Amino acid sequence: MCLSPLDQFRIFPILSFDIGNLDFSFTNSSFILILAVGSFLYIGYLYICPTLYLPNVLGSFLVPNNRWFLIIEDLYLTISSLIYDNVGVKGQSYFPFFFVVFIFILQLNLIGLIPYSFTVTSHIILTFSLAIIVFIGVIIVGIYTHNKYFLNLFLPSGTGLSLALLLVPLEIVSFLSKPISLSVRLFANMMAGHTLLKVIAGFAWTMMTAGNFLFFAHILPLLLLFLLVGLEFGVALIQAYVFTVLSCIYLNDSINLH
């Protein structure tokens, strides 16, 4: 077992590869990312090409006839309604992007729950990279939609000159802090949850190996661990949902200015 609950977040090379002072090693983090992307593409392949797996070609494509297709349809409708509620009709053209973001983060979170796996979203560098992609995309959409009037985002309508001197710096700081808060929220929740699971599991293992009457005392932390795994499963789903919701809200701010 790991000596520290934080050792589970350590990135280590699987295949070492260096070019000069540059390290291009294939790490456990790289493996999980490739696994997530590969599984996402495979899910899309199964959904788009049902003719290879279902005998009723026409009916199976138009009407889902198993639980797998129903799950995909539910996810589709959930993200579509999420975008409509937060952005409106104009946001439907960005559905593919938000759908990929939600599924990708959800896959990374769920893969991290597998024993002896690795939680990529527990690293701030990855969550910040995802957040900065959303942030830059929001800025591009805002400039493309409003041109120079995109700067009105930092000055609410009807604001006087004296009040504008105070509000504009606050709006700029608030706008620039969006990718930070978006990334830290996902990173902190995933890291805290997995650290707690590791602490409880280590405590149960210590009591089980202690012998005597303590061997039976490990049942209580194991039951607690079982409940926490279910809670962490919910957190994995909720955090992917929250990341997508906030991304939609940021897009709405750029499309529909003050």
Side-chain angles (χ1 to χ4, degrees):
M1 294 184 63
C2 297
L3 298 178
S4 170
L6 300 180
D7 284 348
Q8 60 179 312
F9 306 116
R10 182 173 61 90
I11 297 178
F12 57 87
I14 299 176
L15 296 174
S16 298
F17 182 69
D18 299 328
I19 299 180
N21 295 326
L22 300 178
D23 188 2
F24 294 94
S25 298
F26 183 77
T27 64
N28 54 341
S29 177
S30 304
F31 175 76
I32 297 299
L33 288 173
I34 293 177
L35 180 63
V37 173
S39 60
F40 177 79
L41 295 176
Y42 183 68
I43 290 173
Y45 177 73
L46 291 180
Y47 184 72
I48 296 174
C49 305
T51 57
L52 300 178
Y53 306 93
L54 300 174
N56 188 359
V57 178
L58 183 60
S60 63
F61 186 79
L62 296 178
V63 181
N65 58 358
N66 59 31
R67 294 180 180 179
W68 174 254
F69 284 93
L70 290 177
I71 292 175
I72 301 298
E73 291 289 345
D74 288 339
L75 290 176
Y76 180 94
L77 294 176
T78 299
I79 302 302
S80 179
S81 62
L82 174 66
I83 297 174
Y84 182 80
D85 293 338
N86 291 278
V87 187
V89 179
K90 297 180 181 178
Q92 292 300 318
S93 58
Y94 305 99
F95 169 81
F97 174 76
F98 289 113
F99 185 78
V100 170
V101 167
F102 175 78
I103 297 297
F104 184 64
I105 295 178
L106 180 61
Q107 283 183 305
L108 293 178
N109 292 344
L110 295 180
I111 290 175
L113 291 176
I114 301 175
Y116 301 103
S117 182
F118 181 77
T119 310
V120 183
T121 47
S122 64
H123 285 261
I124 186 67
I125 183 62
L126 182 114
T127 59
F128 184 75
S129 299
L130 293 174
I132 204 67
I133 290 174
V134 173
F135 183 69
I136 294 176
V138 164
I139 294 177
I140 293 175
V141 170
I143 295 176
Y144 178 79
T145 304
H146 303 285
N147 296 322
K148 63 181 181 179
Y149 298 103
F150 176 70
L151 296 177
N152 291 337
L153 178 66
F154 306 112
L155 183 64
S157 58
T159 304
L161 179 61
S162 58
L163 188 58
L165 296 176
L166 176 63
L167 287 181
V168 170
L170 292 178
E171 289 289 342
I172 293 176
V173 172
S174 175
F175 183 76
L176 295 178
S177 64
K178 287 180 178 180
I180 300 177
S181 62
L182 191 62
S183 59
V184 170
R185 182 181 291 104
L186 176 58
F187 144 77
N189 279 278
M190 299 310 300
M191 186 175 186
H194 284 73
T195 302
L196 180 60
L197 290 178
K198 187 66 175 181
V199 170
I200 300 299
F203 182 61
W205 176 262
T206 301
M207 288 196 299
M208 187 172 62
T209 56
N212 300 328
F213 69 94
L214 291 178
F215 176 82
F216 301 97
H218 76 282
I219 297 177
L220 181 61
L222 282 182
L223 292 176
L224 179 60
L225 181 64
F226 179 78
L227 296 176
L228 288 177
V229 169
L231 177 62
E232 194 64 19
F233 180 85
V235 170
L237 178 61
I238 291 174
Q239 288 306 312
Y241 184 81
V242 169
F243 192 98
T244 309
V245 168
L246 292 178
S247 300
C248 290
I249 293 176
Y250 298 159
L251 178 64
N252 178 66
D253 292 340
S254 293
I255 295 179
N256 306 308
L257 301 179
H258 295 294

